């Protein structure tokens, strides 16, 4: 079997295993949700259930992201460019491919991408903070205008 074909087979095997993990977590999540509707649960149990569901949903999301990356790696391998960084064209070390077979970026490019994502998240958080501040300022100004109008009406 050719190296490229072998890689695609291995990635498909990984894809199948990831799909099975997602299905198992979905079943677990469903099992956690069904008994949660019992009215006799106390708040500590409910909080613990919510926490566990949040953890399970987070795991499912991570696996779905991994699945997307695996499918992309399968497409790259089918074209014969698996093991070559999509960004800079450098060979991806075999050790990295063994640890993260769904990767299509070398370590340097993956780090740059992650830094860009972090930077964008920080920018978005800053923008949301500014929007909230403006919203609070607008509410305060509207309240002051309303009070002023009420005082003006009272004087008339």
């Amino acid at each position: 079997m050719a190296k490229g074909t072998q890689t695609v087979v291995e990635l498909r095997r990984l894809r199948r295993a990831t799909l099975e993990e997602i299905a198992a977590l979905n079943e677990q999540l469903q099992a956690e949700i069904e008994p949660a509707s019992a009215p006799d649960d106390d708040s500590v149990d409910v909080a613990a259930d919510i926490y566990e569901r949040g953890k399970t949903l987070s795991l499912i999301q991570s696996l779905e992201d991994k699945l997307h990356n695996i499918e992309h790696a399968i497409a790259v391998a089918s074209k014969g460019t698996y093991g070559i960084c999509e960004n800079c064209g450098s060979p991806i070390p075999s050790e990295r491919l063994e640890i993260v077979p769904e990767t299509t970026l070398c370590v340097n490019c993956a780090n740059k991408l992650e830094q860009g994502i972090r930077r964008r998240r920080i920018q978005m958080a800053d923008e949301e903070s500014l929007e909230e501040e403006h919203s609070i300022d607008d509410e305060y100004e509207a309240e002051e205008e309303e009070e002023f109008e009420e005082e003006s009406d009272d004087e008339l």
Side-chain angles (χ1 to χ4, degrees):
M1 185 182 318
K3 176 90 171 122
T5 306
Q6 182 181 1
T7 301
V8 171
V9 169
E10 290 171 10
L11 287 168
R12 285 187 177 148
R13 200 173 294 138
L14 180 60
R15 180 182 182 277
R16 199 172 359 209
T18 303
L19 283 169
E20 289 171 4
E21 282 183 78
I22 291 170
L25 286 170
N26 278 324
E27 287 177 20
Q28 177 184 339
L29 184 62
Q30 191 61 39
E32 290 172 2
I33 290 172
E34 288 173 3
S37 58
D40 60 344
D41 285 347
D42 65 19
S43 61
V44 173
D45 288 340
V46 171
D49 289 344
I50 291 170
Y51 173 77
E52 286 302 316
R53 274 182 257 155
K55 253 181 25 179
T56 303
L57 286 169
S58 181
L59 285 170
I60 291 169
Q61 181 63 53
S62 293
L63 287 170
E64 287 174 345
D65 291 345
K66 179 180 179 178
L67 182 62
H68 172 76
N69 292 336
I70 292 168
E71 289 171 348
H72 181 69
I74 290 170
V76 168
S78 297
K79 289 190 288 186
T81 57
Y82 181 77
I84 299 169
C85 179
E86 287 187 303
N87 193 40
C88 69
S90 298
I92 301 172
S94 60
E95 296 84 11
R96 177 167 171 74
L97 292 172
E98 286 176 26
I99 295 169
V100 190
E102 67 272 14
T103 192
T104 57
L105 298 173
C106 67
V107 173
N108 290 334
C109 291
N111 286 338
K112 287 177 188 173
L113 177 67
E114 184 61 33
Q115 287 172 356
I117 290 170
R118 272 192 228 119
R119 207 172 294 121
R120 181 66 187 136
R121 285 183 183 156
I122 291 169
Q123 286 174 339
M124 289 172 59
D126 288 346
E127 289 170 4
E128 286 176 12
S129 293
L130 285 174
E131 287 174 10
E132 287 176 17
E133 286 177 24
H134 289 297
S135 175
I136 292 170
D137 290 344
D138 291 345
E139 288 176 24
Y140 180 72
E141 288 174 10
E143 288 174 9
E144 282 184 336
E145 277 182 35
E146 207 173 283
E147 288 174 12
F148 179 74
E149 288 174 4
E150 287 175 7
E151 289 175 6
S152 297
D153 289 344
D154 289 343
E155 290 176 3
L156 296 176

